Amino acid sequence: MHKSNLTIILIMFSFFSKGQSNLEAKFLESNSDMNLRNMYQRIVWQMQPTNEYLFDQTKGEVKYIVEENGFEVIVKPEILGTFNLDDKTFLWSDKNPSINEKLNSKVNSFRKTLPKKYQKDKFKSTTEFNSNLLSLFSYNFNSNGFDSKRQDNAIIYYSLLDIKIFKDGNEISIIEPKNHTIPIQDEQNIELIKKFHKEKLEINKQYNDERISSDQAFEKIKFIHLKYWLNEDSYFFPALSWPCNFDEKSILEWKEFKIDENRLFVMYTTDLGWTTESYAYEIDSDANGDKVIINEY
């Protein structure tokens, strides 16, 4: 091969690698922020995959029914695209004639910021990449969060813009698109939760290795739980599990934040192997010692 041609190929490889690397860095940044925003929705109105929902393109809304809280939550969505589970292709929403154009007004401008191979009308993809793409899209447009739902043989990916919460038919809250959490730099509560997790993990490991019986394991793990939980409601007593989603080896990120003036939380994001998931503990900011946890999400 001629030296000049080799140089051109190396330059092109360097360019595309750098572009992909930049995209991965953007995914990390957006996921870190959007995990907080989704957690806020989970805390405030119990946003979770098991909620009954109705996607109404004509009205331009997604309605969630949160039975436990008696909430009806109306979200204005911005649809990013759909993933065909049969041929594993992602199709941008503004290139999909079945999607109302009022629900994809931001998509074209976002697509143009991506590497060329992702600017095609549709491309081969994975659910992991789609989630990262949705996170970046939602972050770029300062959304409240994001969600995805399976419909027949496809998954629809969308951002959460304006959110209205109703109870007994009355509107009780409006959540405008932005990050509603306040980051805290103090590591004290994070270190406390890490200690709690380490002690729980040891009991689960002992049980998994058959060094203690199930009765012994439950007694020990309940004792550890009550060392750290101010709220002693048995509803929150832990189950035995292996592997554990709170194993420090699988945790990607820790955060501490406040919402609504003085509600304090420690959140951790863990790699489950097939996906990532975030969890949060609510901390009583007035409690002393280790016994401080009052809720989990």
Side-chain angles (χ1 to χ4, degrees), residues 56-249:
D56 192 325
Q57 284 203 60
T58 303
K59 291 184 177 180
E61 66 180 33
V62 182
K63 180 189 294 185
Y64 295 93
I65 305 299
V66 187
E67 291 186 0
E68 187 172 331
N69 292 341
F71 290 160
E72 183 177 90
V73 180
I74 308 295
V75 175
K76 180 182 177 184
E78 176 79 10
I79 302 175
L80 180 68
T82 53
F83 183 60
N84 188 307
L85 292 166
D86 295 330
D87 62 14
K88 304 297 187 291
T89 57
F90 180 86
L91 174 63
W92 293 103
S93 63
D94 62 330
K95 301 299 181 181
N96 187 339
S98 67
I99 291 179
N100 190 323
E101 61 183 14
K102 293 179 181 179
L103 302 180
N104 56 33
S105 60
K106 303 178 187 296
V107 171
N108 184 52
S109 60
F110 171 72
R111 183 170 59 249
K112 291 177 179 178
T113 67
L114 300 173
K116 290 291 184 182
K117 63 180 178 180
Y118 304 124
Q119 294 186 27
K120 299 176 183 178
D121 291 2
K122 68 177 180 178
F123 54 87
K124 287 285 185 180
S125 190
T126 64
T127 54
E128 180 182 7
F129 184 83
N130 299 339
S131 294
N132 283 330
L133 204 61
L134 178 61
S135 176
L136 180 59
F137 174 71
S138 303
Y139 178 61
N140 282 0
F141 291 102
N142 204 25
S143 301
N144 267 318
F146 60 81
D147 201 358
S148 61
K149 295 295 181 184
R150 179 168 178 172
Q151 297 189 346
D152 299 322
N153 70 330
I155 300 174
I156 184 167
Y157 294 88
Y158 57 96
S159 288
L160 313 179
L161 302 182
D162 300 275
I163 299 174
K164 295 182 179 180
I165 303 175
F166 297 82
K167 188 174 180 64
D168 300 326
N170 298 313
E171 183 181 293
I172 62 172
S173 180
I174 298 176
I175 306 175
E176 297 180 353
K178 68 173 186 177
N179 189 333
H180 297 270
T181 65
I182 302 169
I184 304 296
Q185 300 304 320
D186 187 0
E187 294 286 322
Q188 181 177 344
N189 288 312
I190 291 176
E191 291 304 316
L192 179 68
I193 298 301
K194 285 182 178 181
K195 187 167 68 168
F196 173 44
H197 281 183
K198 185 177 180 180
E199 293 183 28
K200 279 206 304 179
L201 181 65
E202 177 58 28
I203 300 305
N204 280 284
K205 190 174 189 306
Q206 288 178 17
Y207 175 68
N208 185 68
D209 293 344
E210 298 183 346
R211 286 183 280 154
I212 56 176
S213 67
S214 61
D215 287 344
Q216 290 173 315
F218 277 115
E219 192 63 32
K220 286 175 176 287
I221 207 165
K222 177 183 173 182
F223 174 79
I224 289 170
H225 175 87
L226 292 175
K227 278 177 59 180
Y228 296 92
W229 275 75
L230 189 61
N231 181 353
E232 296 188 355
D233 188 337
S234 60
Y235 174 83
F236 296 105
F237 285 1
L240 298 171
S241 62
W242 195 265
C244 303
N245 60 25
F246 49 80
D247 186 344
E248 182 66 23
K249 293 178 182 177

Side-chain angles (χ1 to χ4, degrees), residues 38 42 45-53 64-65 146-150 158 277:
N38 269 23
R42 192 188 305 179
W45 57 270
Q46 203 173 329
M47 175 185 169
Q48 57 185 2
T50 55
N51 290 330
E52 180 186 344
Y53 77 99
Y64 295 93
I65 305 299
F146 60 81
D147 201 358
S148 61
K149 295 295 181 184
R150 179 168 178 172
Y158 57 96
E277 184 60 83

Side-chain angles (χ1 to χ4, degrees), residues 32-48:
S32 180
D33 185 83
M34 294 308 302
N35 285 340
L36 276 171
R37 300 186 189 217
N38 269 23
M39 179 58 69
Y40 178 82
Q41 306 308 327
R42 192 188 305 179
I43 291 167
V44 171
W45 57 270
Q46 203 173 329
M47 175 185 169
Q48 57 185 2

